[in-house]
Amino acid sequence: MDSIVSKYDSLTSYELTEHHLVRANPWIINTLQNTDYYKMMERDSFVYNQKKMIALSKGNLILIPDSIQAKNLLKAFQKIIIDINIPEFKLRISEDTIQLSEFLVRVGRNEKKYLEMSGRVQDLKTKTGEGYIVNHACNPRYINPTNNHEYFVTKRDDDKVTKLPQIPFIETEINGLRHGQLIHPTINPISLGKVYSNGCIAIREADAWVIYYYAPMNTKVKIRYDLNIVDADGKTLVLKDIYGYNKKS
């Protein structure tokens, strides 16, 4: 994708990015979603190293958006909001007031723990507040924050061992602070819908591709802790207070 951007950026009247390209060619997201390890296993196809999979084949037709399309995409990008409700275990993508997508996530554990990566005891609860997307790690390193060791293979939910996928990690800045709180894919989706992580928001591999291409730099992010919600049928629900905030108040 980088090579395509580099090749055609000088020919466009605007700064061409991979987000422009992919949003103008939505089939690319669908193709990337289908590289999800578990989607491949559903098709009886075991993939040890996803990095060797070819998402864009020779001969694929890719539309380069013209200046009008690019302007409209930029306007759309500026209206996108990534909304995460911690006790609901949900991440939603909205354009203004119109919800585009909804995904199941996992959130930080309700505990404090010493992490070698930071060299101190950390509150692992996912932090709430408002902010922006401030970085994309397109070639992420997988590091265990407990011992600060990098790892290159992983055991999946089906007990099979594979290499780690190359799916961008998204870094957030919340209330003006960078907590190292990422939005990233998990290789163990059995953990979704649970209080499980070291503070990050994790999603399925397939969902991570969608979120990444709807969340260019400076996309607005809102992370909240709302226990009272209204479901799709209009019913009011009270969620479990997973962090015990009500007890403390």
Side-chain angles (χ1 to χ4, degrees):
M1 193 63 69
D2 289 341
S3 62
I4 298 174
V5 171
S6 178
K7 181 177 180 179
Y8 289 98
D9 182 44
S10 62
L11 303 179
T12 59
S13 59
Y14 59 93
E15 183 182 357
L16 181 66
T17 69
E18 63 171 315
H19 287 77
H20 285 107
L21 277 179
V22 173
R23 288 290 301 280
N25 298 271
W27 62 268
I28 296 177
I29 294 181
N30 294 334
T31 301
L32 291 168
Q33 284 184 291
N34 284 320
T35 65
D36 183 306
Y37 170 83
Y38 295 94
K39 285 183 176 288
M40 295 297 295
M41 287 300 291
E42 288 174 1
R43 300 194 292 272
D44 295 322
S45 180
F46 171 73
V47 179
Y48 174 69
N49 186 359
Q50 290 164 283
K51 294 180 182 180
K52 291 187 175 182
M53 298 179 70
I54 298 174
L56 301 180
S57 302
K58 185 177 181 179
N60 284 149
L61 181 64
I62 298 178
L63 172 69
I64 306 297
D66 59 29
S67 58
I68 295 176
Q69 291 172 310
K71 185 177 181 180
N72 289 334
L73 282 170
L74 181 58
K75 287 181 179 178
F77 289 150
Q78 293 171 343
K79 295 177 181 177
I80 294 294
I81 299 174
I82 304 297
D83 174 73
I84 299 151
N85 189 18
I86 294 170
E88 194 180 4
F89 302 102
K90 291 289 180 67
L91 180 152
R92 296 177 175 88
I93 302 175
S94 298
E95 186 175 331
D96 274 346
T97 58
I98 301 174
Q99 182 176 308
L100 304 178
S101 302
E102 177 181 292
F103 305 108
L104 185 66
V105 305
R106 77 177 184 215
V107 297
R109 299 195 296 276
N110 185 20
E111 63 178 88
K112 293 182 179 180
K113 182 179 180 181
Y114 178 82
L115 301 181
E116 187 64 35
M117 179 182 283
S118 62
R120 58 191 175 90
V121 174
Q122 295 276 143
D123 185 343
L124 302 184
K125 292 191 289 294
T126 299
K127 310 296 188 295
T128 60
E130 297 186 12
Y132 301 91
I133 302 300
V134 292
N135 187 42
H136 295 138
C138 294
N139 295 287
R141 296 172 63 206
Y142 287 79
I143 299 175
N144 183 337
T146 301
N147 57 25
N148 206 28
H149 290 170
E150 185 172 4
Y151 58 102
F152 302 92
V153 296
T154 186
K155 181 180 285 189
R156 302 281 185 162
D157 288 341
D158 56 9
D159 288 331
K160 290 181 169 59
V161 174
T162 71
K163 287 197 171 183
L164 292 157
Q166 185 177 326
I167 303 173
F169 285 16
I170 300 171
E171 184 180 357
T172 63
E173 181 180 281
I174 302 299
N175 298 335
L177 298 174
R178 299 191 186 190
H179 301 284
Q181 193 162 274
L182 306 171
I183 301 172
H184 67 77
T186 176
I187 39 76
N188 300 113
I190 196 172
S191 66
L192 297 173
K194 297 178 182 178
V195 180
Y196 191 90
S197 78
N198 291 307
C200 292
I201 297 101
I203 63 279
R204 290 183 175 87
E205 291 178 7
D207 299 342
W209 285 116
V210 178
I211 297 166
Y212 173 64
Y213 282 115
Y214 275 83
M217 294 290 286
N218 298 314
T219 297
K220 295 177 183 176
V221 179
K222 181 177 182 179
I223 304 177
R224 53 195 173 90
Y225 193 89
D226 291 344
L227 296 174
N228 299 300
I229 65 167
V230 178
D231 68 12
D233 297 322
K235 296 180 180 178
T236 300
L237 302 177
V238 179
L239 303 173
K240 182 180 178 180
D241 185 10
I242 57 176
Y243 288 165
Y245 287 151
N246 278 5
K247 294 177 183 178
K248 294 176 183 178
S249 61

